[in-house]
């Protein structure tokens, strides 16, 4: 209950806490009582992010002194990616016509529940090749909450070798993820008509029913179709030529010789027997047999489970930092983590905005070697093979390819580790809204996937004492919650948070402002 300033009226909102499903409705009532001595009109409207999907009926009340009126507020969020799932604060403003300056606001909160809406397609539907083909599965999240998407491929005849990279990813609302599907055959053939090799790709978007996609590899012969008839003509010509040679026919027939005139017979001496021809066998060296070409060695099987963590809504190359003369290596986040045993490591770009179409430069590699770098202008993975049997420390970085933009990005890391630990290091200028669940410009959200029961730990360390920040941690499938403020600290650790499989757990961090007001170095270490 709030008493309106400089006027004799009281307003109450009941209930002040609501929950509503997208595409549905939730209702609350504002009651206004005129305790003044004159007839007055009270105008009512809603302020805050919910104003676009709430109706007020009636929009104004005319009340006699001592009379009370009711206003019904109907919240009807659309079934779309906006508004996001979570808690949305709102205010109901009451303005008396007799004293507009004496308006007041009743505050409430409405929780929008999450709903899944994932669409997927495979391009191309038909690939062509004699040994292998490539496809891409594009997954769009049209829901209002992040979703953990797993992609797998099978063929009914079990004659294809199918691979998906990455095998899974966290897709944020209004974002698209790309999965590369490779297809290889086990029986290439030299000649003959094309063979159709169908297969199925299954897209499993969290709590939504799996999506089945069908595609085909149109397998071609190893050699062009014109070779058999040409080769056949050549064989016929060779056989005819050999027969003519052996039969002394055609061009191989002997030349005709003149018959000598008849003459008197002369007895010729009996010739001496000639020495028999040597019958030594030929010593032609045996032909060397061609060595069988070695097959492709399959990658070693991972011995540690797959770990996955995604970072959302962080800004690259803050312009304030550039004015401070800080090197670009400190402007952008840098990541460090350790793998246990073999298994590919993937650095996935999920989303980028505000990059002027130039994309982002992703770098990934073991700490003791030069990294592999690639500029990605659309969502996709940077994958580095890893066949090391022991522990390997990896480093990764992401930045714009030029200095003229400060885009926002979502990225995911996938690696094999027994006890995953990843450290984010950055230099940032904090200034956010600690009461808003959204991270704002100076903060980020981290989504951790858990397929087994684990404890999530987060440790923040600052180079100097920060004046304050706010945080929250939750199951991403549940409504968002208000952020919890933290007093000035140099270091802070998240209370142990249990994760129950299967699920995605979200940690949000929003800086309020720094102690000096300028950019500072900090690290955030995640373990699970």
């Amino acid at each position: 209950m709030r008493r309106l300033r400089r006027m004799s009226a009281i307003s109450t909102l009941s209930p002040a806490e609501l929950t509503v499903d997208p595409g549905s409705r939730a209702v609350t009532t504002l009651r206004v009582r005129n305790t003044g001595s004159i007839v007055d009109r009270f105008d009512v409207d809603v302020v805050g992010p919910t104003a676009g999907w709430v109706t007020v009926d009636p929009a104004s009340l005319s009340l006699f002194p001592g009379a009370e009126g009711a206003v019904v507020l109907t919240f009807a969020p659309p079934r779309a990616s906006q508004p996001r799932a979570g808690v949305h604060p709102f205010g109901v403003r009451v303005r008396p016509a007799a004293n507009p300056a004496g308006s007041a606001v009743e505050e409430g909160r409405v929780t929008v529940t999450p709903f899944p809406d994932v669409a997927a397609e495979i391009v191309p539907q038909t690939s062509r090749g004699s040994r292998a083909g490539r496809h891409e599965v594009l997954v769009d999240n049209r829901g209002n909450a992040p979703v953990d998407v797993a992609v797998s491929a099978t063929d009914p005849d079990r004659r294809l070798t199918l691979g998906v990279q990455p095998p899974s990813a966290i897709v944020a609302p209004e974002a698209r993820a790309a999965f590369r599907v490779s297809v290889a055959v086990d029986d290439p053939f030299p000649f003959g008509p094309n063979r159709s090799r169908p297969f199925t790709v299954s897209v499993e978007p969290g709590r939504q029913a799996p999506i089945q996609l069908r595609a085909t590899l149109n397998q071609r012969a190893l050699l062009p179709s014109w070779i058999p008839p040409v080769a056949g003509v050549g064989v016929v010509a060779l056989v005819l030529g050999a027969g003519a040679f052996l039969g002394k026919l055609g061009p191989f027939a002997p030349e005709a010789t003149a018959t000598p005139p008849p003459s008197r017979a002369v007895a010729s001496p009996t010739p001496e027997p000639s020495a028999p021809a040597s019958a030594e066998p030929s010593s032609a060296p045996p032909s060397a047999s061609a060595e069988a070409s070695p097959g492709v060695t399959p990658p070693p099987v991972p011995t540690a489970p797959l770990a996955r963590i995604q970072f959302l809504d962080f800004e690259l190359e803050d312009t304030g930092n550039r004015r401070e003369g800080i090197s670009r290596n400190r402007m952008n986040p840098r990541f460090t983590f350790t793998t246990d045993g073999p298994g590919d490591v993937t650095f996935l770009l999920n989303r980028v905005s505000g990059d002027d179409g130039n994309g982002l430069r992703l770098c990934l590699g073991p700490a003791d070697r030069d990294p592999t770098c690639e500029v990605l202008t659309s969502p996709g993975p940077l994958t580095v093979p890893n066949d090391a049997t022991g522990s390997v420390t990896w480093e990764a970085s992401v930045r714009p390819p030029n200095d003229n933009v400060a885009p926002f990005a979502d990225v995911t890391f996938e690696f094999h580790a027994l006890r995953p630990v990843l450290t984010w290091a950055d230099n940032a200028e904090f200034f956010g809204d600690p009461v808003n669940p959204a991270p704002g410009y100076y903060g980020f959200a981290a989504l951790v996937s858990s397929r087994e029961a684990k404890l999530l730990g987060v440790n923040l360390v600052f180079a100097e004492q920060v004046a304050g920040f706010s945080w929250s941690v939750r199951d991403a499938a549940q409504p968002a919650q208000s952020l919890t403020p933290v007093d000035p600290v140099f270091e802070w650790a998240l209370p142990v948070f249990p994760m129950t499989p299967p699920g995605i757990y979200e940690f949000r961090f929003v800086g309020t402002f720094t102690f000096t007001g300028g950019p500072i170095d900090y690290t955030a270490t995640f373990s699970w």
Side-chain angles (χ1 to χ4, degrees):
M1 180 180 296
R2 184 187 301 265
R3 185 173 296 275
L4 301 183
R5 294 170 294 177
R6 294 184 291 175
M7 60 177 294
S8 298
I10 294 177
S11 64
T12 58
L13 184 67
S14 179
E17 303 275 346
L18 303 94
T19 298
V20 60
D21 298 328
S24 184
R25 297 171 180 270
V27 175
T28 185
T29 302
L30 177 77
R31 306 195 72 85
V32 180
R33 182 160 56 93
N34 183 1
T35 58
S37 58
I38 63 172
V39 177
D40 204 349
R41 187 187 78 245
F42 301 92
D43 297 324
V44 180
D45 64 345
V46 176
V47 295
T50 66
W53 39 278
V54 61
T55 58
V56 180
D57 185 28
S60 63
L61 293 170
S62 294
L63 300 175
F64 287 96
E68 184 178 278
V71 175
V72 177
L73 287 76
T74 303
F75 294 85
R79 190 174 177 84
S81 58
Q82 294 287 353
R84 293 283 196 266
V87 179
H88 298 266
F90 65 90
V92 184
R93 182 168 52 191
V94 180
R95 292 180 293 180
N99 182 19
S103 62
V105 176
E106 283 292 325
E107 296 178 351
R109 300 195 309 174
V110 56
T111 298
V112 178
T113 61
F115 77 93
D117 186 3
V118 173
E121 63 175 331
I122 187 168
V123 292
Q125 286 193 333
T126 302
S127 62
R128 294 170 176 81
S130 57
R131 295 179 180 271
R134 299 196 67 175
H135 302 255
E136 191 172 48
V137 175
L138 303 177
V139 177
D140 294 288
N141 183 2
R142 301 180 300 197
N144 64 350
V147 61
D148 190 357
V149 178
V151 179
S152 59
T154 58
D155 74 287
D157 298 329
R158 302 294 191 270
R159 301 298 300 272
L160 302 177
T161 300
L162 298 161
V164 180
Q165 189 61 237
S168 59
I170 301 173
V171 186
E174 298 182 319
R176 164 176 284 187
F179 301 82
R180 298 175 182 173
V181 180
S182 59
V183 188
V185 297
D186 61 356
D187 56 347
F189 56 94
F191 308 109
N194 293 352
R195 300 177 183 177
S196 179
R197 299 301 185 92
F199 61 94
T200 302
V201 175
S202 178
V203 180
E204 300 179 15
R207 293 172 170 83
Q208 183 176 327
I211 302 171
Q212 302 296 325
L213 304 174
R214 300 186 183 278
T216 302
L217 168 64
N218 191 6
Q219 185 185 3
R220 299 179 296 194
L222 292 171
L223 301 176
S225 58
W226 54 265
I227 288 183
V230 172
V233 173
V235 169
V236 171
L238 181 61
V239 171
L240 294 177
F245 175 77
L246 294 176
K248 298 185 181 300
L249 302 173
F252 303 104
E255 295 182 0
T257 56
T259 302
S263 58
R264 186 168 52 91
V266 178
S268 59
T270 303
E272 297 180 0
S274 60
S278 174
E280 295 181 0
S282 63
S283 58
S287 60
S289 61
E291 295 182 1
S293 58
V296 178
T297 303
V301 177
T303 56
L306 182 68
R308 183 182 305 108
I309 183 171
Q310 182 180 38
F311 295 97
L312 306 176
D313 302 325
F314 63 86
E315 184 185 26
L316 298 168
E317 291 197 4
D318 177 69
T319 55
N321 291 10
R322 291 206 294 270
R323 290 196 302 269
E324 297 288 336
I326 297 174
S327 68
R328 73 186 320 175
N329 289 333
R330 290 174 58 196
M331 294 177 195
N332 301 305
R334 300 165 311 283
F335 308 90
T336 305
F337 55 92
T338 300
T339 57
D340 298 310
D344 291 351
V345 178
T346 299
F347 188 3
L348 179 66
L349 175 64
N350 301 104
R351 180 189 67 90
V352 58
S353 62
D355 62 326
D356 292 343
N358 295 314
L360 296 179
R361 179 178 175 83
L362 278 64
C363 293
L364 172 67
D368 59 352
R369 289 185 294 184
D370 291 336
T372 299
C373 297
E374 185 176 351
V375 175
L376 299 179
T377 57
S378 61
L382 170 61
T383 300
V384 177
N386 174 39
D387 57 4
T389 56
S391 297
V392 177
T393 299
W394 293 71
E395 293 180 346
S397 63
V398 55
R399 64 175 176 82
N402 58 61
D403 295 324
N404 300 321
V405 293
F408 289 84
D410 299 346
V411 298
T412 299
F413 288 94
E414 294 182 340
F415 56 97
H416 293 271
L418 298 173
R419 171 68 174 168
V421 177
L422 183 143
T423 297
W424 155 309
D426 199 5
N427 178 277
E429 186 177 22
F430 299 126
F431 188 78
D433 180 1
V435 300
N436 192 331
Y441 284 87
Y442 304 104
F444 60 85
L447 298 178
V448 180
S449 294
S450 173
R451 297 191 180 273
E452 59 185 54
K454 288 192 173 184
L455 298 177
L456 173 64
V458 182
N459 192 72
L460 298 173
V461 178
F462 302 91
E464 62 181 271
Q465 188 182 60
V466 292
F469 64 90
S470 298
W471 65 276
S472 70
V473 62
R474 68 182 180 100
D475 184 339
Q478 301 301 319
Q481 57 190 11
S482 298
L483 302 182
T484 302
V486 174
D487 293 331
V489 291
F490 280 98
E491 184 173 357
W492 174 85
L494 172 72
V496 174
F497 186 84
M499 299 191 299
T500 303
I504 307 171
Y505 292 86
E506 177 192 69
F507 173 81
R508 284 196 181 275
F509 169 81
V510 178
T512 306
F513 49 88
T514 61
F515 184 76
T516 62
I520 63 170
D521 289 321
Y522 77 99
T523 61
T525 300
F526 299 84
S527 59
W528 65 98

